[in-house]
Amino acid sequence: MTETINIDVHPIEQSRIDSIDFDNLVFGRSFADHMLVIDYENGAWQTPQIVPYGPISFGPAMMSLHYGQAIFEGMKAYRSVDGDITVFRPSENLKRLNKSAVRMCMPEIPEDTFLEGLSELLRIDSAWIPDKPGCSLYIRPFMFSTDEYVGVSPSKTYKFIIFNCPVGAYYTKPLRVRVETTYIRSAHGGVGFSKNAGNYGGSLYPTKLANDAGYDQIIWTDASEHRYVEEAGTMNLMFIINGALVTAPTGDTILDGVTRKSVIQIAKDMGVKVEERPLSVTELIEGIKDGSVQEAFGAGTAAVIAPIATIASEGIDYDLPERPADAFSRKVYEEINGIRLGKIEDTRDWVYRIKE
Ligand code: COI
């Protein structure tokens, strides 16, 4: 891609990369040297800046702290076998970021600004892309309102930032999850489809209760009846039932996951039947009991494909069968990973390549 936007680069004086233990990466605790910062002022996005990663200052009245105009995305960069930097379907993340922006009364980001800013940032910090299996450079784009004002209204100024973290696996073992029937994540007409910070803030308390009871995550159910499976706190949920891939349809209450839609496409291409339909908790639990539910897994950028070992409902743990070597969730993980690393041909044009 030809560079068409101006980016001001202020490089770091001394890289911090030598302080990172790339053999023991945990998720989201270390940060690459630089970040991309773009300010929105006077009705327009200003010149993007690439600056050292570090604190930013703001006033206590900054509106996003009070009224929650804050949205984010998650992507991952890899070093492909031919040496290019690859990012998986970043334009899909941008589309979703812009949908979140519209819902939260925030300005949309133009695609060339997003992709060119991201590319330049990744070129500058390319040494931070881990090369160990299962590791990657997690990319966190986010936007928040910056006006200092105490009235409740959309801000007139915003900051868009991308920073990167070298990461290992988000989940390191098959998950124990619990069906949530007291608290809700989202309701029709709400903001459940958007990736705004408040959705995650609201999930912390019920997730903590589940963690305290020995579960890793919760399965959100619909807000009106707690009858249908929606998604987990950090990923969409998918099941293999009688050989078909079953997942909740996206609407205004469920996040339209990029990994989710990629898994669906791969399943279709493999000839696996796909059912995007409401799945009741009763059907799920009865299916585990009678063996028709063969696999359960989460799908997300951070989680990638996260197998589920146990689902708890109404105080009872139901164990999923061991995953066989040819389990769908293993095959789809291998396919997505192979495409990202350039080991499997990218026939669907999903990989965005950045040359150095
Ligand atoms: C992602 O998968 O990138 C997410 O944003 C989920 C989570 C880490 C909050």
Side-chain angles (χ1 to χ4, degrees):
M1 166 181 280
T2 44
E3 301 292 310
T4 53
I5 60 162
N6 285 329
I7 301 174
D8 288 346
V9 180
H10 306 272
I12 200 158
E13 281 175 16
Q14 177 71 47
S15 173
R16 290 177 285 101
I17 198 163
D18 289 341
S19 67
I20 306 298
D21 180 359
F22 277 84
D23 290 327
N24 294 294
L25 289 173
V26 288
F27 193 95
R29 295 269 180 207
S30 5
F31 308 99
D33 282 331
H34 297 90
M35 59 185 184
L36 173 79
V37 181
I38 317 180
D39 289 320
Y40 184 86
E41 287 164 14
N42 303 318
W45 289 105
Q46 307 298 305
T47 303
Q49 311 279 322
I50 291 181
V51 296
Y53 174 89
I56 41 182
S57 65
F58 50 80
M62 184 173 74
M63 292 180 80
S64 51
L65 296 177
H66 302 262
Y67 306 126
Q69 266 187 305
I71 58 176
F72 70 98
E73 277 298 321
M75 303 184 289
K76 280 179 173 170
Y78 292 80
R79 176 72 68 184
S80 90
V81 284
D82 56 17
D84 287 350
I85 301 166
T86 61
V87 183
F88 193 69
R89 311 187 76 179
S91 296
E92 291 297 319
N93 289 88
L94 177 65
K95 272 189 218 155
R96 191 173 62 188
L97 183 80
N98 282 339
K99 271 192 199 158
S100 303
V102 170
R103 179 64 179 84
M104 300 300 288
C105 262
M106 301 166 87
E108 295 177 65
I109 309 256
E111 187 169 37
D112 57 351
T113 307
F114 180 79
L115 290 178
E116 291 176 32
L118 173 67
S119 302
E120 194 53 27
L121 181 68
L122 289 174
R123 274 189 211 108
I124 289 174
D125 276 345
S126 64
W128 288 79
I129 302 173
D131 56 8
K132 299 236 157 7
C135 297
S136 58
L137 190 68
Y138 183 78
I139 302 165
R140 173 49 62 89
F142 66 112
M143 193 203 301
F144 56 98
S145 58
T146 52
D147 275 12
E148 291 188 58
Y149 175 51
V150 179
V152 180
S153 65
S155 175
K156 292 187 172 50
T157 61
Y158 297 85
K159 227 179 233 311
F160 173 73
I161 297 182
I162 304 180
F163 66 77
N164 300 320
C165 315
V167 296
Y170 194 86
Y171 294 117
T172 51
K173 58 178 176 42
L175 302 176
R176 289 168 50 76
V177 298
R178 177 165 92 170
V179 175
E180 177 59 58
T181 53
T182 302
Y183 299 97
I184 64 160
R185 175 182 174 277
S186 67
H188 289 304
V191 291
F193 68 90
S194 76
K195 209 160 167 66
N196 71 312
N199 286 344
Y200 294 79
S203 77
L204 298 178
Y205 181 67
T207 306
K208 182 190 176 308
L209 296 181
N211 293 159
D212 291 348
Y215 300 97
D216 303 297
Q217 260 299 330
I218 49 184
I219 294 186
W220 291 113
T221 50
D222 66 283
S224 34
E225 296 179 274
H226 289 301
R227 193 162 146 208
Y228 295 101
V229 170
E230 297 229 308
E231 63 178 86
T234 49
M235 54 201 181
N236 293 110
L237 288 170
M238 309 190 112
F239 305 89
I240 299 291
I241 305 180
N242 289 323
L245 177 69
V246 179
T247 190
T250 53
D252 61 355
T253 62
I254 293 184
L255 199 72
D256 186 8
V258 179
T259 310
R260 175 190 178 279
K261 68 173 74 153
S262 306
V263 171
I264 288 174
Q265 189 58 54
I266 291 171
K268 287 180 179 165
D269 296 346
M270 280 177 176
V272 173
K273 189 172 170 213
V274 176
E275 297 174 13
E276 288 183 74
R277 63 168 174 88
L279 170 66
S280 71
V281 177
T282 309
E283 180 187 345
L284 174 62
I285 298 303
E286 289 307 315
I288 299 176
K289 286 200 234 166
D290 70 20
S292 53
V293 175
Q294 298 151 285
E295 296 179 53
F297 57 95
T301 298
V304 195
I305 301 295
I308 292 172
T310 302
I311 297 178
S313 174
E314 295 181 349
I316 302 175
D317 282 359
Y318 299 92
D319 291 332
L320 275 294
E322 284 287 313
R323 283 195 308 163
D326 65 347
F328 173 80
S329 53
R330 288 189 202 276
K331 288 196 275 195
V332 81
Y333 172 81
E334 292 305 327
E335 174 90 12
I336 289 178
N337 209 37
I339 294 170
R340 291 193 296 204
L341 294 172
K343 293 179 178 169
I344 292 178
E345 197 189 343
D346 177 24
T347 53
R348 303 173 191 90
D349 208 11
W350 280 349
V351 168
Y352 179 73
R353 285 177 174 272
I354 301 163
K355 301 223 177 276
E356 286 186 270

